Amino acid sequence: MSQNPPSSLGPQSFEAIRREDEGAEFWLARELGPVLGYQDYRNFVAVIEKAKIACRQARSEISDHFGDVTIMVDIGSGAQREIRDIRLSRYACYLIVQNGDPSKPVIAQGQTYFAVQTRRQELQDQPGFGALSEDDKRLMLRREMAHHNTALASAARQAGVETPLDYAVFQDHGYRGLYGGRSQRDIHAAKGLKKSQKILDHMGSTELAANLFRATQAEDKLRRDGASTRAQANDIHRDVGRRVRATIADLGGVMPENLPAPDTSIGQLERRRAKAVKGPTDD
């Protein structure tokens, strides 16, 4: 059991304590607790109980994901003793993180990590998504981005982000978090765009997906935390952007500012598709 648990939850720290038994993966609660910032096992057990309730509410069998086990631990001088532990499935770990104390940075990071992983899986599970061309993926993600930006604007408005200038500042905080401190203007300039061109229309599918995660998670956190001031909304948006960036780093991904810009804009793609659907015109 690590005496110095990792400071963030990602593939390296989470997978480092993964165990296998006849091909079945599992985690032990006494090892997962410290990784999530719970040094007192009794406090961690309380979180596990909440996770079990969530499991039951999801109509999943608790015994399939939470199993009581006995393990042997060293107590010095070659002696060992039995202690009780809980064998956890990956789904159980997800529920534990979702029901953990969000004031703990590692729990907050873990919630973002699992949210991103879940969203990635949702995209992969969509019929035919993996077979789509890069252009089709961009068009689909850009449409989703437009939808979720509307929902994000609504959540921000409830927190006092009312004027166009307020919203521009709010959006800039999200970009700064996701792009390592770079402002919306910095990103616009780096892409070599004209003043009238929109950043989102000049992103590849991977960069759009990262921004989609930022938007969906920021909306959820604004509503969940009950943000009531512009300052709170801005801080939440920037923090979510940072967490998504940290998750990309944990996954070994390329930072969004380093992703290549596509040769065509979303507008150009849409015009091409519309022309293809319409077909050639008669003279």
Side-chain angles (χ1 to χ4, degrees):
M1 190 179 299
S2 173
Q3 297 300 314
N4 296 295
S7 59
S8 64
L9 181 67
Q12 294 179 345
S13 59
F14 185 59
E15 298 299 334
I17 60 170
R18 183 174 68 91
R19 293 170 176 258
E20 284 192 10
D21 181 12
E22 297 182 353
E25 64 176 7
F26 69 95
W27 285 257
L28 290 176
R30 289 184 183 272
E31 293 177 340
L32 181 63
V35 170
L36 296 180
Y38 290 88
Q39 300 304 323
D40 188 329
Y41 184 64
R42 289 172 298 180
N43 291 338
F44 189 53
V45 168
V47 179
I48 293 174
E49 291 303 314
K50 291 181 181 179
K52 286 182 179 180
I53 293 172
C55 184
R56 184 184 301 112
Q57 291 173 339
R59 297 187 177 181
S60 293
E61 286 292 333
I62 293 176
S63 59
D64 289 344
H65 303 285
F66 302 82
D68 293 330
V69 295
T70 299
I71 62 172
M72 302 298 294
V73 297
D74 295 328
I75 58 174
S77 302
Q80 291 186 319
R81 70 180 176 88
E82 292 184 346
I83 60 171
R84 297 176 64 185
D85 207 332
I86 304 173
R87 176 170 164 157
L88 308 166
S89 70
R90 187 177 290 268
Y91 179 60
C93 294
Y94 162 77
L95 292 176
I96 288 168
V97 168
Q98 294 304 110
N99 285 276
D101 180 359
S103 68
K104 292 180 180 292
V106 70
I107 288 289
Q109 292 164 2
Q111 289 174 347
T112 304
Y113 168 68
F114 274 111
V116 169
Q117 290 292 72
T118 300
R119 183 60 183 141
R120 282 161 62 104
Q121 190 62 50
E122 287 173 349
L123 286 174
Q124 291 173 6
D125 289 344
Q126 288 190 22
F129 181 82
L132 292 178
S133 67
E134 168 65 9
D135 288 347
D136 285 333
K137 288 178 181 178
R138 287 180 65 205
L139 288 168
M140 190 198 80
L141 289 168
R142 184 63 182 93
R143 286 193 291 269
E144 284 204 39
M145 193 73 214
H147 170 73
H148 286 291
N149 263 343
T150 299
L152 177 60
S154 175
R157 195 177 305 114
Q158 292 179 5
V161 178
E162 298 175 348
T163 69
L165 178 59
D166 289 342
Y167 190 68
V169 172
F170 170 75
Q171 283 287 57
D172 197 57
H173 276 71
Y175 280 119
R176 285 179 182 274
L178 179 57
Y179 286 79
R182 295 165 181 80
S183 68
Q184 193 166 353
R185 180 178 295 179
D186 294 334
I187 301 165
H188 198 275
K191 289 181 178 291
L193 303 180
K194 297 177 182 178
K195 189 175 181 180
S196 61
Q197 293 177 311
K198 296 179 180 180
I199 293 174
L200 292 169
D201 288 344
H202 295 265
M203 293 181 180
S205 63
T206 300
E207 190 175 358
L208 277 168
N211 279 277
L212 180 60
F213 297 146
R214 167 187 57 78
T216 55
Q217 294 309 302
E219 178 203 350
D220 182 63
K221 189 166 177 58
L222 283 170
R223 298 188 191 282
R224 187 172 65 245
D225 290 4
S228 58
T229 67
R230 290 194 301 272
Q232 288 176 344
N234 291 340
D235 287 346
I236 285 173
H237 201 184
R238 186 165 189 167
D239 183 52
V240 167
R242 284 172 175 164
R243 293 180 189 174
V244 174
R245 183 179 180 85
T247 301
I248 293 171
D250 279 341
L251 293 169
V254 178
M255 290 299 106
E257 67 273 11
N258 295 325
L259 289 167
D263 294 330
T264 55
S265 70
I266 292 294
Q268 289 172 315
L269 290 179
E270 289 175 335
R271 287 191 291 274
R272 284 182 187 176
R273 296 302 161 87
K275 185 176 181 180
V277 171
K278 186 176 180 182
T281 58
D282 295 327
D283 292 332

